[in-house]
């Protein structure tokens, strides 16, 4: 498969697919835990915030579309920026 590093479907997973989709054969599990979650309202996905402030991505399939690889990789500089701020804020885990 061309560009197989961009797509992985774990059809043996008991949650597959974890979102309602029309075409399960095109469901990408590569970003099972979405790296964009940490970007809050800047992720670009279809999310909402619950009353308790928790981000709810139930209706979002952005990380599970085969064509989303480049979009997600393109956001890694923003994710790294957030991580660096956490590292220098003094709030990082100290074990």
């Amino acid at each position: 498969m061309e560009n197989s590093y961009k797509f992985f479907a774990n059809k043996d997973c008991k949650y597959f697919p974890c979102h309602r989709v029309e075409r399960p054969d095109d469901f990408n599990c590569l970003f099972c835990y979405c790296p964009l979650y940490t970007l809050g309202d800047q992720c670009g996905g279809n999310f909402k915030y619950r009353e308790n402030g928790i981000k709810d991505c139930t209706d979002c399939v952005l990380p599970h579309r085969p064509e989303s690889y480049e979009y997600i990789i393109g956001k890694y500089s923003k994710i790294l920026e957030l991580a660096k701020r956490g590292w220098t804020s003094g709030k990082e885990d100290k074990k």
Side-chain angles (χ1 to χ4, degrees):
M1 172 184 209
E2 185 179 336
N3 297 322
S4 60
Y5 64 94
K6 295 180 181 182
F7 183 88
F8 169 71
N10 185 4
K11 294 181 180 178
D12 292 332
C13 176
K14 70 178 183 177
Y15 301 107
F16 182 86
C18 59
H19 294 265
R20 281 178 243 131
V21 291
E22 290 180 22
R23 295 173 26 206
D25 286 342
D26 291 337
F27 193 85
N28 191 357
C29 301
L30 185 63
F31 298 109
C32 177
Y33 293 96
C34 184
L36 304 179
Y37 183 89
T38 192
L39 297 178
D41 62 0
Q42 301 298 305
C43 69
N46 182 25
F47 66 92
K48 58 188 166 229
Y49 284 103
R50 295 180 184 172
E51 286 182 25
N52 62 3
I54 301 291
K55 186 175 175 184
D56 180 354
C57 304
T58 303
D59 296 327
C60 183
V61 293
L62 185 136
H64 301 295
R65 293 190 316 236
E67 66 273 8
S68 293
Y69 179 85
E70 282 81 10
Y71 177 81
I72 292 172
I73 295 302
K75 293 284 189 173
Y76 267 73
S77 61
K78 281 274 197 210
I79 295 167
L80 181 58
E81 186 180 306
L82 287 172
K84 283 181 180 178
R85 273 194 255 152
W87 293 333
T88 60
S89 71
K91 294 180 183 176
E92 61 271 11
D93 238 356
K94 296 187 177 164
K95 295 182 179 181

